[in-house]
Amino acid sequence: MPSVVAQKVMNEIRRAEHILLLTDERLDGDTLGSTLGLAHVLRDLGKTVSVFSPRAVPAHFGFIPGIELVQTDAAIFAHPAVDLAIICDCSDGLYIQSLLPTMPRAVPLVMFDHHATNPSYGTINVLEPGAASTADVVWRFVKAARYPVSPHAAQCFLTGICTDTSLFSTSNTTVDALHAAVDLTKRGAKLPEIVRHTVASRPIPMLHVWGLLFERLHHNTEFDALTTALTLKDWEAFGKPDIETSNISNFLNETLDHADTILILRETEDGGVKGSLRSRGRDVAALAEKYGGGGHKLAAGFKVDNAHLEFSDGQWRLLRSSQSEVLSSSSHVINENDDINFLHASPLAPNASA
């Protein structure tokens, strides 16, 4: 990262006394790892630190050190002592637009991210689209600033890097990420524990969901993608397990030789549909952008509000919830490792926001 940007962030941290850290609304290992890793570092610097998430943390992330610091009460934004906000791995900043104005005073917002579609919405933006993960970006900032790094902080950062690279197996794995893994391991991070909690341990309900998604795989000729889908009714029937369909799309992308592009669709509790796209060479970010989404070249996504999935004629259709027609609705960018629902049976208008 440019040294001038790093110095600006260091100056803000030095002046701050109570720092509010913010996760992305789409919780994954990277946003939690980078945020909590930074929380440990800042607390060791003597700062008062609060951590906010717009929703409850899924139980399977309970192994991350400091997870108990995360709170979901938005009243923290009204705390008069907060004098700096830092958000990690949030590609659009949309959810905080209604929360920041509730603060009793305007405070600087530092943004750490690695998504190419990020519009640089912070007061200070540390954006590195070429980085393997946001945890990688934050770690290199911390290292350059020569801040103290405890084993707990190292474990958080390594968790973020591992989850966003599928344990260093995806195409976004960089030399910097590998060097970071070595440095963090030397500082006390334990890779076997991360592997056990993120890959080796799969609750039975989650395996049931995986089985259903595998069973529904079919080739979508319109998007030339291997596609599957998960409805809200399906998810509820299995007891609402904590799942990340991005893990499934990554798995399929890495193991199926005959499929260049993977598309997974999932209905959400707020009445929308999310899509997750993975590819080995095709620019799926450009494809997702046509429907109001975005991400990286080989991993992208989108969300369509007020929509649902319907199966007919051997294909899954993405429809408006209020109409029996193919959806053309508002959407927003989803992180490249987030769930994406793009299942489809009839043509979407090219300019539809999905």
Side-chain angles (χ1 to χ4, degrees):
M1 69 188 66
S3 58
V4 62
V5 175
Q7 189 60 55
K8 288 181 178 180
V9 178
M10 292 168 61
N11 291 340
E12 294 296 343
I13 291 175
R14 183 177 63 253
R15 287 191 288 262
E17 295 183 2
H18 188 162
I19 301 174
L20 175 59
L21 299 182
L22 310 171
T23 72
D24 184 24
E25 61 182 325
R26 297 162 289 272
L27 296 178
D28 63 10
D30 193 19
T31 190
L32 290 170
S34 54
T35 303
L36 291 175
L38 190 55
H40 288 295
V41 170
L42 295 175
R43 293 179 75 180
D44 288 342
L45 287 173
K47 306 295 181 180
T48 298
V49 177
S50 298
V51 182
F52 175 80
S53 169
R55 66 184 182 91
V57 177
H60 62 270
F61 288 122
F63 74 96
I64 302 178
I67 202 72
E68 70 282 355
L69 298 175
V70 181
Q71 60 179 292
T72 58
D73 187 354
I76 186 60
F77 283 85
H79 198 297
V82 172
D83 50 7
L84 176 64
I86 302 177
I87 189 166
C88 296
D89 200 47
C90 182
S91 62
D92 52 32
L94 292 178
Y95 90 87
I96 61 173
Q97 290 181 4
S98 61
L99 294 172
L100 293 180
T102 66
M103 303 182 76
R105 55 173 168 160
V107 303
L109 174 65
V110 175
M111 185 277 294
F112 285 96
D113 195 23
H114 74 127
H115 297 102
T117 53
N118 191 302
S120 296
Y121 55 85
T123 309
I124 303 174
N125 300 288
V126 186
L127 177 60
E128 296 187 28
S133 66
T134 298
D136 181 20
V137 176
V138 177
W139 156 245
R140 281 184 283 106
F141 162 74
V142 167
K143 183 178 180 181
R146 298 186 178 181
Y147 289 156
V149 179
S150 67
H152 282 339
Q155 185 77 346
C156 292
F157 291 135
L158 186 56
T159 297
I161 295 170
C162 287
T163 54
D164 248 29
T165 61
S166 293
L167 295 176
F168 313 104
S169 65
T170 58
S171 60
N172 66 314
T173 303
T174 63
V175 172
D176 283 339
L178 295 173
H179 285 316
V182 173
D183 289 341
L184 293 167
T185 300
K186 290 179 179 178
R187 294 173 185 260
K190 298 178 180 179
L191 181 60
E193 181 178 348
I194 297 172
V195 172
R196 180 165 62 88
H197 285 285
T198 61
V199 176
S201 178
R202 302 284 188 195
I204 291 177
M206 185 184 298
L207 294 178
H208 286 159
V209 172
W210 279 51
L212 179 64
L213 289 171
F214 292 162
E215 181 182 344
R216 290 178 174 174
L217 284 169
H218 68 281
H219 184 259
N220 184 295
T221 55
E222 180 181 351
F223 298 102
D224 192 22
L226 190 65
T227 304
T228 187
L230 181 69
T231 68
L232 191 60
K233 184 177 180 180
D234 297 328
W235 180 63
E236 292 173 341
F238 288 122
K240 298 183 177 182
D242 292 331
I243 60 172
E244 292 181 54
T245 56
S246 60
N247 290 337
I248 305 172
S249 56
N250 286 336
F251 174 81
L252 292 173
N253 192 45
E254 295 161 10
T255 57
L256 298 179
D257 290 337
H258 65 283
D260 175 73
T261 305
I262 303 295
L263 170 63
I264 297 182
L265 299 173
R266 178 184 177 183
E267 291 179 342
T268 61
E269 288 188 282
D270 61 1
V273 173
K274 292 197 296 184
S276 179
L277 288 162
R278 297 294 183 276
S279 174
R280 296 182 180 182
R282 182 180 177 187
D283 188 352
V284 291
L287 180 60
E289 286 175 358
K290 293 182 180 179
Y291 300 89
H296 297 296
K297 178 180 178 180
L298 303 181
F302 63 89
K303 178 181 179 183
V304 180
D305 298 322
N306 302 314
H308 67 280
L309 299 174
E310 182 177 295
F311 185 75
S312 63
D313 300 326
Q315 299 259 329
W316 285 92
R317 297 175 182 270
L318 182 55
L319 306 176
R320 295 183 187 218
S321 294
S322 59
Q323 302 178 23
S324 296
E325 62 185 57
V326 175
L327 166 71
S328 173
S329 176
S330 62
S331 64
H332 62 269
V333 174
I334 293 183
N335 292 356
E336 79 286 358
N337 281 325
D338 292 328
D339 305 341
I340 299 175
N341 295 325
F342 207 155
L343 227 4
H344 192 7
S346 53
L348 287 175
N351 295 322
S353 296

